Amino acid sequence: MLKDVSCQIEEHKIIGLIGRNGAGKSTFLNILAGHIKPTAGKVTIYQDNPFNSITTATNTMFIEEGMTFPNGNNIARILEIAKCFYPNWQQELAEKLLQYVGISLNGLYDKLSKGQRSTFNLVYGLSARCAITLLDEPMNGMDEAVRADMYRAILKEYIAYPRTIIISSHHLKEIEHLIEEILLINNGQVALHKELEEVQQFAVRLIGQPEQLEPYRNHALFERNEGPLAEIIVEKKYFNGHSSIQSEAVSASDVCKYVTANRMGGIDDVFK
Amino acid sequence: MMYSNNVSIWKNIVSQVKWKLGAHNSAVLTIVIIQLIIAAIANHGSMRGSGLNNMQVTEYIYSLDSVMMVSVVAVAATCIALSSKRTQSDNLAIPTTRLTASISTILFIWIITFITTVTAIVSQNLVQVVKILVLDLDIIGRTLVPSVTVFFVFYFILLCAGAVGYFIGVMFSLSKIVTILSGVLFIVYLAKVEQNIFIWLLDESYGMFMLKILLIAIVFYALALFVNNRQEVRRG
Amino acid sequence: MNLNIDGTTPIYVQIAEWLRNEILAERLVADSKVYSQYQLAELFNINPATAGKGLTLLLEEEILYKKRGLGMFVTAQAKEMILQKRRGETLQQLARELVVEARRLAVTDDELIELVQKMQRGE
């Protein structure tokens, strides 16, 4: 799944882990959580190898869609158990958040709807206040209103108790306001690892006549010819400010899209 | 910078055992109820003729047979379920490693086998007391005080059943086909070639029997631990 | 409080711009304490580091100054500097666009000046 991942993540940051479906985001998080042993390479979290380390396990919270809790335990009992295992557990916070989103403490986890489950998982993950909090597509299945609330909850909790949060999404726009850095994974490799602002400044969209844009074509991340005007996206460093070419900023989300696109011309190529 | 929370493996194991006892208390309860039912039914009928043997201890074992049988099956089934994918996945909601998860499961099995041993013997006695008091039956040559030997023989047999069950479960989650095939092959081998393994097991004093069965149990727990440690902890 | 989230203007630039507007509107006056990065983060629902970058930008422009352990404060010359800068940059930029557009529409210089004067009189 992952081939060539080399990166260093500083503590107490919120990192956006971005990538298309199947890019290797979940595998990456599973390795950090110590659930999977990498077949090659080395992972170190605070001088510890996370695989099979009880210290990492206690200080790491990994929230994902497939997580389960023992059948027949009600929500209150699950919280009680968490209190025994996680030294920083915030019981009051968990109860208040669950009450706010309307999840009853007496209910069974297995009876929750998909969206409620995601909400509960996230509340569980935030309340544990683990030094390393890994959130794999935490908002899956939640409705719009709860999503917004939950993003705000992540932010508030982060401010209250700074920790390293890695939040994965294939939808950068949704988490852009929340994150400090982007880690873009594509085909099992790190495609970009930069501060959000740098990604926003990473590329430019050039619009002009095709022959004007010709010199930029070999650096193009994306190109499109529609009628008399052509459009090319290149890394900013290749563009020297040619005056007759119109240049536009490219949003971080578009940068990620173009960097990970497997077809140069996008969907338009299919219809040629 | 280091983590703010350092946790000892031992503390984690103890917490996990407690957690498992809470999470699976219904399984233990089910075993106890089955034991009670069997104890009540079995002693009523066919076991009447059990007095043939002179030895009191043997008689106890004999009369405990049916309870023993179901207990063995129930414990083995519970232990197979303990290593199911779902249970392993549940384990990941709390901090764990493969080692602490396996060790705490084994400790948990030891505890539930102990509990079911006690309840098996108590249920047996309970049924007898009821019979003496309510049905006014006179049961000759039985004592209501459980013998230490009986207790340990029973306990070790269940420990062994748990070990085998847990091992099967672990193998099963590794590969279903391999487990079933090797299981069938093993049984065929025992039935056809190595029939005297049972003779080897039973044909000596209780002390030797317990020692042998304990050895088998330890081998299976160790195998399960070994196999489990080679597997990745992962949500299915 | 809403930010432009089309993703093309960095959020920290927008934060800095918002603070400049607050200073221009005199809701933040000289030597008063400005919002901390955490307050800004909560206010705008953004990452505190991003908010911090906005503050740092103003620190570098000497619109804010730092008191150790107390936070950041508005400098005495802040409002004046912002005004100067806006006149220099923003107004010039707008004027440039106005002139370009006027040429495109074949508006003469006199007509344009008259238009601006009319606007100033509030007609």
Side-chain angles (χ1 to χ4, degrees):
Chain A
M1 279 302 283
L2 295 175
K3 281 174 295 192
D4 187 15
V5 177
S6 173
C7 64
Q8 193 163 359
I9 292 165
E10 283 166 53
E11 65 174 356
H12 298 175
K13 279 187 175 178
I14 305 183
I15 317 283
L17 180 63
I18 309 297
R20 299 156 69 101
N21 289 329
K25 298 184 299 256
S26 296
T27 311
F28 181 68
L29 292 179
N30 263 295
I31 288 173
L32 292 188
H35 289 182
I36 296 182
K37 187 178 184 177
T39 45
K42 198 172 157 219
V43 185
T44 312
I45 302 180
Y46 288 141
Q47 290 116 41
D48 246 346
N49 176 2
F51 187 65
N52 246 353
S53 151
I54 196 65
T55 312
T56 306
T58 307
N59 290 283
T60 306
M61 173 56 76
F62 182 26
I63 296 300
E64 56 165 350
E65 211 184 335
M67 73 189 294
T68 63
F69 295 90
N71 226 325
N73 274 357
N74 67 10
I75 302 291
R77 173 83 188 128
I78 293 174
L79 301 186
E80 227 173 87
I81 293 160
K83 211 191 304 177
C84 307
F85 282 101
Y86 293 105
N88 300 339
W89 180 256
Q90 301 292 305
Q91 180 71 17
E92 198 191 334
L93 175 75
E95 285 177 11
K96 276 186 179 168
L97 280 172
L98 290 176
Q99 193 192 3
Y100 175 78
V101 295
I103 294 177
S104 158
L105 291 182
N106 302 316
L108 288 176
Y109 180 80
D110 287 15
K111 292 266 190 290
L112 296 178
S113 73
K114 190 182 173 212
Q116 280 181 317
R117 253 182 232 195
S118 297
T119 313
F120 175 80
N121 293 349
L122 186 56
V123 169
Y124 185 84
L126 289 178
S127 306
R129 286 198 174 167
C130 288
I132 293 164
T133 303
L134 311 169
L135 308 171
D136 194 6
E137 303 274 355
M139 306 297 174
N140 257 353
M142 281 186 210
D143 59 49
E144 208 61 38
V146 182
R147 260 169 205 253
D149 280 341
M150 285 297 122
Y151 281 125
R152 185 132 180 97
I154 294 175
L155 182 69
K156 288 240 180 198
E157 251 305 285
Y158 170 72
I159 291 172
Y161 187 87
R163 64 199 98 166
T164 309
I165 299 177
I166 302 182
I167 174 167
S168 92
S169 175
H170 46 247
H171 208 71
L172 174 60
K173 276 233 169 76
E174 226 180 74
I175 58 170
E176 212 175 306
H177 62 282
L178 199 65
I179 60 175
E180 187 172 343
E181 279 178 13
I182 289 179
L183 182 61
L184 177 67
I185 289 192
N186 189 39
N187 295 328
Q189 287 173 300
V190 175
L192 275 182
H193 179 200
K194 288 179 186 303
E195 287 190 11
L196 176 70
E197 284 79 19
E198 288 178 68
V199 179
Q200 285 167 335
Q201 303 291 311
F202 183 73
V204 282
R205 175 182 279 110
L206 305 178
I207 300 165
Q209 277 141 8
E211 51 275 17
Q212 279 181 311
L213 297 181
E214 195 56 39
Y216 299 103
R217 282 195 65 186
N218 48 343
H219 299 302
L221 295 169
F222 172 84
E223 58 174 303
R224 186 162 68 181
N225 282 303
E226 283 291 330
L229 285 184
E231 182 187 331
I232 278 185
I233 309 253
V234 292
E235 280 183 45
K236 208 169 216 168
K237 61 182 178 199
Y238 297 120
F239 181 60
N240 50 15
H242 198 283
S243 58
S244 62
I245 298 175
Q246 190 188 337
S247 74
E248 284 177 3
V250 181
S251 70
S253 141
D254 280 347
V255 167
C256 291
K257 193 171 85 190
Y258 295 129
V259 168
T260 59
N262 37 22
R263 285 180 154 272
M264 188 67 111
I267 188 81
D268 282 2
D269 274 4
V270 179
F271 292 96
K272 266 188 179 146
Chain B
M1 168 70 197
M2 282 296 296
Y3 290 118
S4 48
N5 302 304
N6 278 305
V7 185
S8 77
I9 287 180
W10 197 224
K11 196 177 160 240
N12 181 267
I13 291 174
V14 172
S15 307
Q16 283 204 46
V17 172
K18 279 188 203 158
W19 171 62
K20 281 173 182 166
L21 282 170
H24 303 291
N25 53 13
S26 56
V28 181
L29 198 67
T30 313
I31 300 178
V32 173
I33 289 170
I34 294 173
Q35 284 176 336
L36 267 171
I37 295 171
I38 295 299
I41 298 171
N43 264 344
H44 216 59
S46 58
M47 287 301 148
R48 283 272 175 88
S50 65
L52 275 174
N53 211 320
N54 304 348
M55 275 179 76
Q56 193 192 313
V57 171
T58 342
E59 184 168 295
Y60 247 98
I61 297 232
Y62 194 68
S63 57
L64 273 171
D65 264 1
S66 42
V67 177
M68 161 83 77
M69 291 288 274
V70 286
S71 301
V72 164
V73 173
V75 164
T78 308
C79 293
I80 290 176
L82 276 180
S83 36
S84 73
K85 274 239 162 70
R86 166 68 201 238
T87 319
Q88 287 193 347
S89 148
D90 289 346
N91 226 335
L92 294 181
I94 53 148
T96 186
T97 65
R98 296 175 305 175
L99 189 70
T100 60
S102 315
I103 291 179
S104 62
T105 303
I106 290 172
L107 287 178
F108 168 72
I109 293 173
W110 291 358
I111 293 173
I112 61 165
T113 47
F114 186 82
I115 295 171
T116 46
T117 306
V118 172
T119 54
I121 289 168
V122 169
S123 69
Q124 181 70 14
N125 281 309
L126 196 70
V127 169
Q128 290 194 16
V129 169
V130 170
K131 281 183 178 172
I132 293 167
L133 293 181
V134 181
L135 301 174
D136 200 23
L137 284 176
D138 190 16
I139 298 168
I140 299 157
R142 287 173 193 258
T143 165
L144 293 180
V145 182
S147 115
V148 176
T149 320
V150 170
F151 182 88
F152 276 105
V153 168
F154 203 120
Y155 181 47
F156 285 2
I157 290 174
L158 285 194
L159 266 187
C160 192
V164 174
Y166 184 55
F167 177 70
I168 292 173
V170 167
M171 288 300 290
F172 205 74
S173 64
L174 200 69
S175 163
K176 284 176 185 142
I177 303 163
V178 171
T179 313
I180 292 168
L181 271 181
S182 52
V184 170
L185 280 178
F186 186 66
I187 290 167
V188 169
Y189 173 76
L190 280 189
K192 288 262 157 86
V193 188
E194 209 53 72
Q195 280 167 325
N196 47 2
I197 188 156
F198 294 106
I199 301 163
W200 172 75
L201 259 181
L202 295 168
D203 184 38
E204 284 206 43
S205 67
Y206 280 125
M208 283 310 286
F209 173 72
M210 286 197 282
L211 198 68
K212 284 173 187 168
I213 203 135
L214 197 63
L215 258 173
I216 296 175
I218 288 170
V219 167
F220 273 103
Y221 282 122
L223 278 175
L225 205 62
F226 176 73
V227 174
N228 229 358
N229 252 359
R230 299 195 63 83
Q231 268 184 27
E232 283 173 348
V233 217
R234 206 178 168 180
R235 289 175 182 132
Chain C
M1 212 59 62
N2 277 315
L3 295 170
N4 164 16
I5 45 159
D6 67 355
T8 48
T9 316
I11 295 171
Y12 78 97
V13 174
Q14 296 183 51
I15 295 298
E17 196 61 15
W18 180 82
L19 284 168
R20 286 193 203 103
N21 286 339
E22 290 293 292
I23 293 169
L24 283 185
E26 295 188 342
R27 279 189 285 271
L28 289 171
V29 293
D31 296 316
S32 67
K33 190 174 185 298
V34 297
Y35 306 94
S36 74
Q37 69 182 110
Y38 296 103
Q39 286 172 320
L40 286 170
E42 294 221 8
L43 198 59
F44 290 96
N45 206 17
I46 54 169
N47 188 298
T50 311
K53 277 180 201 151
L55 290 171
T56 309
L57 189 67
L58 296 183
L59 206 61
E60 283 164 3
E61 290 177 4
E62 291 176 2
I63 286 168
L64 301 180
Y65 66 95
K66 208 183 226 167
K67 274 194 204 166
R68 197 171 281 274
L70 291 174
M72 294 200 193
F73 295 80
V74 180
T75 55
Q77 74 278 19
K79 190 181 170 190
E80 194 49 40
M81 284 171 63
I82 298 165
L83 278 176
Q84 287 296 335
K85 200 174 172 210
R86 288 253 171 119
R87 280 193 197 115
E89 286 176 10
T90 322
L91 208 56
Q92 234 175 51
Q93 173 68 21
L94 286 172
R96 192 176 298 124
E97 282 170 25
L98 182 70
V99 169
V100 169
E101 187 64 16
R103 286 218 184 105
R104 209 178 277 159
L105 299 174
V107 176
T108 66
D109 288 2
D110 288 343
E111 280 171 328
L112 191 60
I113 290 163
E114 198 185 330
L115 183 73
V116 172
Q117 283 169 344
K118 253 190 190 173
M119 293 270 174
Q120 278 178 329
R121 286 197 301 271
E123 281 172 26

mmCIF file of all heavy atoms in Angstrom, chain A residues 178-208:
data_model
loop_
_atom_site.group_PDB
_atom_site.id
_atom_site.type_symbol
_atom_site.label_atom_id
_atom_site.label_comp_id
_atom_site.label_asym_id
_atom_site.label_seq_id
_atom_site.Cartn_x
_atom_site.Cartn_y
_atom_site.Cartn_z
ATOM 1 N N LEU A 178 -9.169 24.212 9.586
ATOM 2 C CA LEU A 178 -8.805 23.594 10.850
ATOM 3 C C LEU A 178 -7.329 23.245 10.929
ATOM 4 O O LEU A 178 -6.758 23.153 12.012
ATOM 5 C CB LEU A 178 -9.634 22.311 10.962
ATOM 6 C CG LEU A 178 -9.819 21.675 12.308
ATOM 7 C CD1 LEU A 178 -10.613 22.601 13.194
ATOM 8 C CD2 LEU A 178 -10.556 20.359 12.149
ATOM 9 N N ILE A 179 -6.705 23.040 9.777
ATOM 10 C CA ILE A 179 -5.391 22.413 9.782
ATOM 11 C C ILE A 179 -4.262 23.411 9.598
ATOM 12 O O ILE A 179 -4.453 24.527 9.110
ATOM 13 C CB ILE A 179 -5.285 21.335 8.677
ATOM 14 C CG1 ILE A 179 -5.509 21.956 7.298
ATOM 15 C CG2 ILE A 179 -6.281 20.226 8.944
ATOM 16 C CD1 ILE A 179 -5.311 20.980 6.172
ATOM 17 N N GLU A 180 -3.080 22.975 10.014
ATOM 18 C CA GLU A 180 -1.906 23.819 9.880
ATOM 19 C C GLU A 180 -1.039 23.326 8.725
ATOM 20 O O GLU A 180 -0.424 24.117 8.024
ATOM 21 C CB GLU A 180 -1.116 23.756 11.190
ATOM 22 C CG GLU A 180 0.030 24.723 11.235
ATOM 23 C CD GLU A 180 0.678 24.782 12.607
ATOM 24 O OE1 GLU A 180 0.049 24.330 13.590
ATOM 25 O OE2 GLU A 180 1.811 25.270 12.701
ATOM 26 N N GLU A 181 -1.020 22.007 8.570
ATOM 27 C CA GLU A 181 -0.184 21.434 7.518
ATOM 28 C C GLU A 181 -0.988 20.449 6.684
ATOM 29 O O GLU A 181 -1.949 19.860 7.167
ATOM 30 C CB GLU A 181 0.991 20.657 8.130
ATOM 31 C CG GLU A 181 2.122 21.527 8.559
ATOM 32 C CD GLU A 181 3.238 20.719 9.192
ATOM 33 O OE1 GLU A 181 3.243 19.482 9.069
ATOM 34 O OE2 GLU A 181 4.096 21.351 9.820
ATOM 35 N N ILE A 182 -0.528 20.274 5.456
ATOM 36 C CA ILE A 182 -1.140 19.274 4.589
ATOM 37 C C ILE A 182 -0.129 18.181 4.314
ATOM 38 O O ILE A 182 1.026 18.459 3.981
ATOM 39 C CB ILE A 182 -1.577 19.913 3.250
ATOM 40 C CG1 ILE A 182 -2.787 20.818 3.480
ATOM 41 C CG2 ILE A 182 -1.912 18.835 2.225
ATOM 42 C CD1 ILE A 182 -3.255 21.504 2.234
ATOM 43 N N LEU A 183 -0.563 16.942 4.498
ATOM 44 C CA LEU A 183 0.249 15.806 4.096
ATOM 45 C C LEU A 183 -0.553 15.091 3.014
ATOM 46 O O LEU A 183 -1.580 14.478 3.291
ATOM 47 C CB LEU A 183 0.501 14.890 5.301
ATOM 48 C CG LEU A 183 1.366 13.663 5.071
ATOM 49 C CD1 LEU A 183 2.748 14.057 4.621
ATOM 50 C CD2 LEU A 183 1.478 12.845 6.345
ATOM 51 N N LEU A 184 -0.071 15.229 1.795
ATOM 52 C CA LEU A 184 -0.816 14.679 0.667
ATOM 53 C C LEU A 184 -0.192 13.357 0.249
ATOM 54 O O LEU A 184 0.997 13.291 -0.053
ATOM 55 C CB LEU A 184 -0.795 15.673 -0.500
ATOM 56 C CG LEU A 184 -1.470 15.232 -1.794
ATOM 57 C CD1 LEU A 184 -2.965 15.093 -1.614
ATOM 58 C CD2 LEU A 184 -1.163 16.212 -2.916
ATOM 59 N N ILE A 185 -0.997 12.317 0.285
ATOM 60 C CA ILE A 185 -0.495 10.995 -0.092
ATOM 61 C C ILE A 185 -1.124 10.586 -1.407
ATOM 62 O O ILE A 185 -2.326 10.747 -1.609
ATOM 63 C CB ILE A 185 -0.814 9.961 1.015
ATOM 64 C CG1 ILE A 185 0.060 10.254 2.222
ATOM 65 C CG2 ILE A 185 -0.570 8.550 0.524
ATOM 66 C CD1 ILE A 185 0.064 9.177 3.249
ATOM 67 N N ASN A 186 -0.290 10.097 -2.297
ATOM 68 C CA ASN A 186 -0.786 9.655 -3.593
ATOM 69 C C ASN A 186 -0.071 8.377 -3.994
ATOM 70 O O ASN A 186 1.148 8.314 -3.955
ATOM 71 C CB ASN A 186 -0.537 10.758 -4.628
ATOM 72 C CG ASN A 186 -1.213 10.451 -5.927
ATOM 73 O OD1 ASN A 186 -2.330 9.929 -5.931
ATOM 74 N ND2 ASN A 186 -0.550 10.750 -7.024
ATOM 75 N N ASN A 187 -0.838 7.373 -4.373
ATOM 76 C CA ASN A 187 -0.272 6.073 -4.745
ATOM 77 C C ASN A 187 0.756 5.577 -3.735
ATOM 78 O O ASN A 187 1.812 5.083 -4.091
ATOM 79 C CB ASN A 187 0.396 6.149 -6.120
ATOM 80 C CG ASN A 187 -0.614 6.438 -7.202
ATOM 81 O OD1 ASN A 187 -1.769 6.011 -7.093
ATOM 82 N ND2 ASN A 187 -0.209 7.157 -8.225
ATOM 83 N N GLY A 188 0.442 5.728 -2.457
ATOM 84 C CA GLY A 188 1.338 5.213 -1.429
ATOM 85 C C GLY A 188 2.610 6.013 -1.231
ATOM 86 O O GLY A 188 3.546 5.543 -0.602
ATOM 87 N N GLN A 189 2.640 7.217 -1.757
ATOM 88 C CA GLN A 189 3.826 8.055 -1.570
ATOM 89 C C GLN A 189 3.415 9.427 -1.063
ATOM 90 O O GLN A 189 2.302 9.860 -1.299
ATOM 91 C CB GLN A 189 4.567 8.232 -2.897
ATOM 92 C CG GLN A 189 5.304 7.000 -3.339
ATOM 93 C CD GLN A 189 5.867 7.167 -4.725
ATOM 94 O OE1 GLN A 189 5.122 7.392 -5.659
ATOM 95 N NE2 GLN A 189 7.169 7.048 -4.842
ATOM 96 N N VAL A 190 4.338 10.097 -0.389
ATOM 97 C CA VAL A 190 4.046 11.464 0.042
ATOM 98 C C VAL A 190 4.225 12.380 -1.170
ATOM 99 O O VAL A 190 5.310 12.521 -1.707
ATOM 100 C CB VAL A 190 4.986 11.904 1.176
ATOM 101 C CG1 VAL A 190 4.749 13.361 1.520
ATOM 102 C CG2 VAL A 190 4.764 11.055 2.403
ATOM 103 N N ALA A 191 3.117 12.979 -1.605
ATOM 104 C CA ALA A 191 3.190 13.852 -2.776
ATOM 105 C C ALA A 191 3.535 15.278 -2.358
ATOM 106 O O ALA A 191 4.241 15.985 -3.057
ATOM 107 C CB ALA A 191 1.867 13.830 -3.531
ATOM 108 N N LEU A 192 3.038 15.684 -1.227
ATOM 109 C CA LEU A 192 3.294 17.030 -0.695
ATOM 110 C C LEU A 192 3.229 16.961 0.820
ATOM 111 O O LEU A 192 2.400 16.269 1.373
ATOM 112 C CB LEU A 192 2.199 18.005 -1.134
ATOM 113 C CG LEU A 192 2.220 18.735 -2.457
ATOM 114 C CD1 LEU A 192 0.995 19.645 -2.509
ATOM 115 C CD2 LEU A 192 3.481 19.549 -2.600
ATOM 116 N N HIS A 193 4.117 17.674 1.467
ATOM 117 C CA HIS A 193 3.981 17.863 2.909
ATOM 118 C C HIS A 193 4.429 19.283 3.201
ATOM 119 O O HIS A 193 5.618 19.569 3.271
ATOM 120 C CB HIS A 193 4.827 16.829 3.670
ATOM 121 C CG HIS A 193 4.723 17.003 5.159
ATOM 122 N ND1 HIS A 193 5.651 16.511 6.028
ATOM 123 C CD2 HIS A 193 3.786 17.611 5.910
ATOM 124 C CE1 HIS A 193 5.305 16.823 7.258
ATOM 125 N NE2 HIS A 193 4.178 17.497 7.217
ATOM 126 N N LYS A 194 3.453 20.171 3.307
ATOM 127 C CA LYS A 194 3.759 21.589 3.448
ATOM 128 C C LYS A 194 2.732 22.252 4.347
ATOM 129 O O LYS A 194 1.678 21.705 4.595
ATOM 130 C CB LYS A 194 3.706 22.280 2.080
ATOM 131 C CG LYS A 194 4.841 21.942 1.151
ATOM 132 C CD LYS A 194 4.641 22.686 -0.171
ATOM 133 C CE LYS A 194 5.661 22.295 -1.201
ATOM 134 N NZ LYS A 194 7.056 22.477 -0.815
ATOM 135 N N GLU A 195 3.088 23.459 4.759
ATOM 136 C CA GLU A 195 2.094 24.244 5.481
ATOM 137 C C GLU A 195 0.974 24.600 4.508
ATOM 138 O O GLU A 195 1.203 24.767 3.310
ATOM 139 C CB GLU A 195 2.736 25.520 6.031
ATOM 140 C CG GLU A 195 3.633 25.235 7.201
ATOM 141 C CD GLU A 195 4.075 26.499 7.916
ATOM 142 O OE1 GLU A 195 3.506 27.575 7.626
ATOM 143 O OE2 GLU A 195 4.969 26.392 8.753
ATOM 144 N N LEU A 196 -0.219 24.746 5.066
ATOM 145 C CA LEU A 196 -1.378 25.047 4.243
ATOM 146 C C LEU A 196 -1.134 26.240 3.323
ATOM 147 O O LEU A 196 -1.432 26.196 2.126
ATOM 148 C CB LEU A 196 -2.584 25.313 5.161
ATOM 149 C CG LEU A 196 -3.865 25.730 4.475
ATOM 150 C CD1 LEU A 196 -4.445 24.568 3.697
ATOM 151 C CD2 LEU A 196 -4.879 26.222 5.502
ATOM 152 N N GLU A 197 -0.544 27.311 3.889
ATOM 153 C CA GLU A 197 -0.336 28.525 3.101
ATOM 154 C C GLU A 197 0.610 28.273 1.920
ATOM 155 O O GLU A 197 0.447 28.848 0.858
ATOM 156 C CB GLU A 197 0.225 29.659 3.966
ATOM 157 C CG GLU A 197 -0.794 30.320 4.863
ATOM 158 C CD GLU A 197 -1.098 29.514 6.099
ATOM 159 O OE1 GLU A 197 -0.281 28.638 6.448
ATOM 160 O OE2 GLU A 197 -2.164 29.721 6.710
ATOM 161 N N GLU A 198 1.600 27.420 2.181
ATOM 162 C CA GLU A 198 2.535 27.114 1.095
ATOM 163 C C GLU A 198 1.830 26.358 -0.020
ATOM 164 O O GLU A 198 2.142 26.558 -1.196
ATOM 165 C CB GLU A 198 3.690 26.262 1.615
ATOM 166 C CG GLU A 198 4.658 27.017 2.502
ATOM 167 C CD GLU A 198 5.745 26.088 3.007
ATOM 168 O OE1 GLU A 198 6.556 25.636 2.193
ATOM 169 O OE2 GLU A 198 5.745 25.782 4.214
ATOM 170 N N VAL A 199 0.922 25.501 0.349
ATOM 171 C CA VAL A 199 0.185 24.760 -0.683
ATOM 172 C C VAL A 199 -0.681 25.725 -1.477
ATOM 173 O O VAL A 199 -0.808 25.611 -2.701
ATOM 174 C CB VAL A 199 -0.669 23.635 -0.050
ATOM 175 C CG1 VAL A 199 -1.454 22.889 -1.124
ATOM 176 C CG2 VAL A 199 0.211 22.669 0.712
ATOM 177 N N GLN A 200 -1.239 26.711 -0.765
ATOM 178 C CA GLN A 200 -2.064 27.696 -1.461
ATOM 179 C C GLN A 200 -1.246 28.525 -2.447
ATOM 180 O O GLN A 200 -1.751 29.038 -3.424
ATOM 181 C CB GLN A 200 -2.752 28.624 -0.447
ATOM 182 C CG GLN A 200 -3.910 27.939 0.262
ATOM 183 C CD GLN A 200 -4.388 28.716 1.471
ATOM 184 O OE1 GLN A 200 -3.646 29.489 2.061
ATOM 185 N NE2 GLN A 200 -5.638 28.481 1.850
ATOM 186 N N GLN A 201 0.052 28.638 -2.165
ATOM 187 C CA GLN A 201 0.935 29.417 -3.042
ATOM 188 C C GLN A 201 1.716 28.532 -4.011
ATOM 189 O O GLN A 201 2.584 29.001 -4.718
ATOM 190 C CB GLN A 201 1.949 30.209 -2.189
ATOM 191 C CG GLN A 201 1.321 31.123 -1.166
ATOM 192 C CD GLN A 201 0.612 32.289 -1.807
ATOM 193 O OE1 GLN A 201 1.162 32.961 -2.660
ATOM 194 N NE2 GLN A 201 -0.640 32.516 -1.428
ATOM 195 N N PHE A 202 1.408 27.251 -3.973
ATOM 196 C CA PHE A 202 2.249 26.279 -4.669
ATOM 197 C C PHE A 202 2.150 26.381 -6.188
ATOM 198 O O PHE A 202 3.130 26.264 -6.897
ATOM 199 C CB PHE A 202 1.842 24.870 -4.200
ATOM 200 C CG PHE A 202 2.680 23.771 -4.772
ATOM 201 C CD1 PHE A 202 3.978 23.576 -4.340
ATOM 202 C CD2 PHE A 202 2.167 22.892 -5.727
ATOM 203 C CE1 PHE A 202 4.761 22.557 -4.841
ATOM 204 C CE2 PHE A 202 2.940 21.866 -6.232
ATOM 205 C CZ PHE A 202 4.238 21.697 -5.798
ATOM 206 N N ALA A 203 0.957 26.611 -6.684
ATOM 207 C CA ALA A 203 0.765 26.544 -8.134
ATOM 208 C C ALA A 203 0.019 27.769 -8.656
ATOM 209 O O ALA A 203 -0.614 28.498 -7.901
ATOM 210 C CB ALA A 203 -0.003 25.280 -8.501
ATOM 211 N N VAL A 204 0.144 28.009 -9.966
ATOM 212 C CA VAL A 204 -0.638 29.066 -10.607
ATOM 213 C C VAL A 204 -1.376 28.495 -11.813
ATOM 214 O O VAL A 204 -0.924 27.542 -12.437
ATOM 215 C CB VAL A 204 0.223 30.250 -11.107
ATOM 216 C CG1 VAL A 204 0.603 31.156 -9.970
ATOM 217 C CG2 VAL A 204 1.433 29.756 -11.871
ATOM 218 N N ARG A 205 -2.497 29.091 -12.080
ATOM 219 C CA ARG A 205 -3.257 28.731 -13.271
ATOM 220 C C ARG A 205 -2.948 29.781 -14.335
ATOM 221 O O ARG A 205 -3.126 30.978 -14.099
ATOM 222 C CB ARG A 205 -4.750 28.721 -12.953
ATOM 223 C CG ARG A 205 -5.633 28.473 -14.173
ATOM 224 C CD ARG A 205 -7.109 28.530 -13.821
ATOM 225 N NE ARG A 205 -7.560 27.270 -13.244
ATOM 226 C CZ ARG A 205 -7.903 27.078 -11.980
ATOM 227 N NH1 ARG A 205 -7.854 28.088 -11.134
ATOM 228 N NH2 ARG A 205 -8.309 25.911 -11.551
ATOM 229 N N LEU A 206 -2.433 29.343 -15.472
ATOM 230 C CA LEU A 206 -2.081 30.271 -16.542
ATOM 231 C C LEU A 206 -3.119 30.142 -17.648
ATOM 232 O O LEU A 206 -3.450 29.046 -18.081
ATOM 233 C CB LEU A 206 -0.698 29.935 -17.102
ATOM 234 C CG LEU A 206 0.430 29.893 -16.069
ATOM 235 C CD1 LEU A 206 1.732 29.500 -16.742
ATOM 236 C CD2 LEU A 206 0.582 31.243 -15.374
ATOM 237 N N ILE A 207 -3.622 31.294 -18.075
ATOM 238 C CA ILE A 207 -4.611 31.285 -19.139
ATOM 239 C C ILE A 207 -4.107 32.185 -20.271
ATOM 240 O O ILE A 207 -3.687 33.323 -20.027
ATOM 241 C CB ILE A 207 -5.972 31.792 -18.626
ATOM 242 C CG1 ILE A 207 -6.457 30.867 -17.483
ATOM 243 C CG2 ILE A 207 -7.017 31.813 -19.748
ATOM 244 C CD1 ILE A 207 -7.575 31.440 -16.675
ATOM 245 N N GLY A 208 -4.096 31.680 -21.468
ATOM 246 C CA GLY A 208 -3.624 32.471 -22.608
ATOM 247 C C GLY A 208 -3.769 31.679 -23.890
ATOM 248 O O GLY A 208 -4.359 30.600 -23.900
#
